[in-house]
Amino acid sequence: MLYGLNITDAGGVPLAVDFDSPLDYLIFIFQLLLGTAAVLLSGTVTIGILATETLRIQNRFIFMVNTSICDTLVGFSVYYLGLFDVYEGYPSRNATYTILPSLLGINLLTFLFAQFDRYMAICYPFIYSRFITRPIVVGINVYCWAHVFGVLLVRNVIPISKATDLFVFSILYLQLVILTKVIMTIKLYFVAKYQLERDPPSAERDSKKESLKIIFFVVVIFLLLWIPSIINIVLRLMFGMGMNFVNEALNPFATLARLSAVCTSAVYVWGSPALREAMRRTVWGRVCPRCNRRVGSSQEKGEALGQFGCRRWINLQRLKQTNKPQACLMIFSFSGKSTS
């Protein structure tokens, strides 16, 4: 039987706080800003990747866009879970069949597969390039959605006693996934530290290093924000020692988990210059053309100065070959004045 949707009878769903103290205002404003930041940042990352062909054909960016779509939906979910009186536990109140909280589970699986993807790409490049194609990566990301919502559907249609057993099994399965993620994070750290350092400098090596740096920090931050909520759930279900909260907005552990929607996209933007450029060109440059012109003029100026410096260096080398040090000095001093 379906359970979980229990809308309050008196005039719809009330707000999460009563606004009786300054803390209530702070909680409400924080939840509102959290949802907005997640939607804007993750949505921009999603559009930047999907609108840039050179990014969306790369496997690592396919994983990024999957998590960014999920984080965008998490941001929208905060407008309900964080602003209204919603409790997703049992007995539920104004709940959503745990559909909205389950969005974070999609990211958990996606990060796990992304770690295996980076490990195979760096440690077994020939096997990876031959067998791990783009359709396979897309299928893996689709599986993450199908798995999470398939389990959720089964849990919502079976009797409550069976659903409770399935939920406990899901918690144990989640702990196994987290343990695997920790092991893979450690392995990727040593791969980045020892194996990539032995490779000769190249664009491919820089790309692998960048992807490892991103997935390492994303997973570490995600686990740090998720683990308090997982520990509280395990303590509450297994030992009856966890903390209970009035609603989702007043649950600091659930809020920390939802904060990962902002942190994940922020790490993507921080670690990938190509993604930053794609976001500037496809989204923010169109929203703010003046900012786009400033960035473009700075880049053109840098390129012009770089070209001028190259020409000066070539002229100096030619003058040195003709054994004319005085002329070389004059050209150098003249060039230095012109650039100031």
Side-chain angles (χ1 to χ4, degrees), residues 9 16 56 115 120 143 182 215:
D9 295 329
R56 68 173 181 263
Q115 286 180 299
M120 291 291 296
Y143 165 78
V182 171
I215 193 64

Side-chain angles (χ1 to χ4, degrees), residues 133-202:
T133 59
R134 186 169 55 171
I136 291 179
V137 174
V138 173
I140 290 173
N141 285 274
V142 172
Y143 165 78
C144 294
W145 290 79
H147 175 85
V148 171
F149 285 111
V151 173
L152 187 63
L153 177 63
V154 172
R155 204 174 73 199
N156 280 318
V157 297
I158 62 178
I160 295 180
S161 59
K162 299 294 184 182
T164 304
D165 296 337
L166 181 60
F167 183 72
V168 173
F169 174 78
S170 300
I171 295 299
L172 297 177
Y173 171 74
L174 184 62
Q175 294 178 14
L176 179 61
V177 171
I178 291 177
L179 179 62
T180 307
K181 288 172 67 67
V182 171
I183 295 174
M184 288 301 301
T185 301
I186 297 173
K187 288 180 69 69
L188 289 176
Y189 171 78
F190 285 106
V191 167
K193 185 175 182 181
Y194 296 107
Q195 181 164 338
L196 282 182
E197 293 299 330
R198 295 197 300 265
D199 295 342
S202 63

Side-chain angles (χ1 to χ4, degrees), residues 99-336:
I99 293 176
L100 298 183
S102 297
L103 290 171
L104 293 172
I106 298 172
N107 276 357
L108 190 69
L109 285 179
T110 304
F111 289 143
L112 180 63
F113 286 117
Q115 286 180 299
F116 282 109
D117 174 82
R118 289 299 87 199
Y119 181 77
M120 291 291 296
I122 294 173
C123 296
Y124 305 99
F126 297 106
I127 298 177
Y128 181 84
S129 60
R130 182 175 180 181
F131 295 103
I132 310 300
T133 59
R134 186 169 55 171
I136 291 179
V137 174
V138 173
I140 290 173
N141 285 274
V142 172
Y143 165 78
C144 294
W145 290 79
H147 175 85
V148 171
F149 285 111
V151 173
L152 187 63
L153 177 63
V154 172
R155 204 174 73 199
N156 280 318
V157 297
I158 62 178
I160 295 180
S161 59
K162 299 294 184 182
T164 304
D165 296 337
L166 181 60
F167 183 72
V168 173
F169 174 78
S170 300
I171 295 299
L172 297 177
Y173 171 74
L174 184 62
Q175 294 178 14
L176 179 61
V177 171
I178 291 177
L179 179 62
T180 307
K181 288 172 67 67
V182 171
I183 295 174
M184 288 301 301
T185 301
I186 297 173
K187 288 180 69 69
L188 289 176
Y189 171 78
F190 285 106
V191 167
K193 185 175 182 181
Y194 296 107
Q195 181 164 338
L196 282 182
E197 293 299 330
R198 295 197 300 265
D199 295 342
S202 63
E204 183 179 2
R205 177 199 172 192
D206 294 339
S207 177
K208 291 180 178 179
K209 219 173 169 183
E210 174 190 305
S211 63
L212 276 182
K213 178 180 68 174
I214 290 174
I215 193 64
F216 177 81
F217 282 104
V218 162
V219 171
V220 169
I221 294 174
F222 188 82
L223 289 177
L224 289 177
L225 295 176
W226 248 72
I227 285 178
S229 180
I230 297 300
I231 293 176
N232 184 59
I233 293 174
V234 171
L235 290 177
R236 190 154 45 89
L237 293 179
M238 301 274 185
F239 307 101
M241 299 171 54
M243 301 175 63
N244 291 305
F245 300 94
V246 176
N247 53 42
E248 299 297 321
L250 300 179
N251 186 346
F253 303 130
T255 302
L256 275 179
R258 290 192 288 268
L259 184 61
S260 65
V262 178
C263 296
T264 298
S265 298
V267 172
Y268 289 161
V269 176
W270 165 74
S272 177
L275 178 58
R276 290 198 298 270
E277 173 62 22
M279 293 168 60
R280 182 193 65 81
R281 181 174 49 81
T282 59
V283 181
W284 298 120
R286 298 182 180 182
V287 174
C288 182
R290 181 178 299 178
C291 299
N292 193 27
R293 286 197 298 268
R294 288 177 180 177
V295 174
S297 61
S298 300
Q299 291 177 346
E300 292 173 359
K301 183 178 179 181
E303 292 175 357
L305 290 176
Q307 293 175 358
F308 181 80
C310 292
R311 289 197 301 270
R312 183 178 64 183
W313 183 83
I314 293 173
N315 291 333
L316 288 175
Q317 296 301 316
R318 290 175 178 174
L319 289 172
K320 287 180 181 179
Q321 292 177 358
T322 58
N323 295 323
K324 295 181 179 179
Q326 295 297 329
C328 177
L329 181 60
M330 291 174 60
I331 292 293
F332 180 79
S333 59
F334 175 77
S335 301

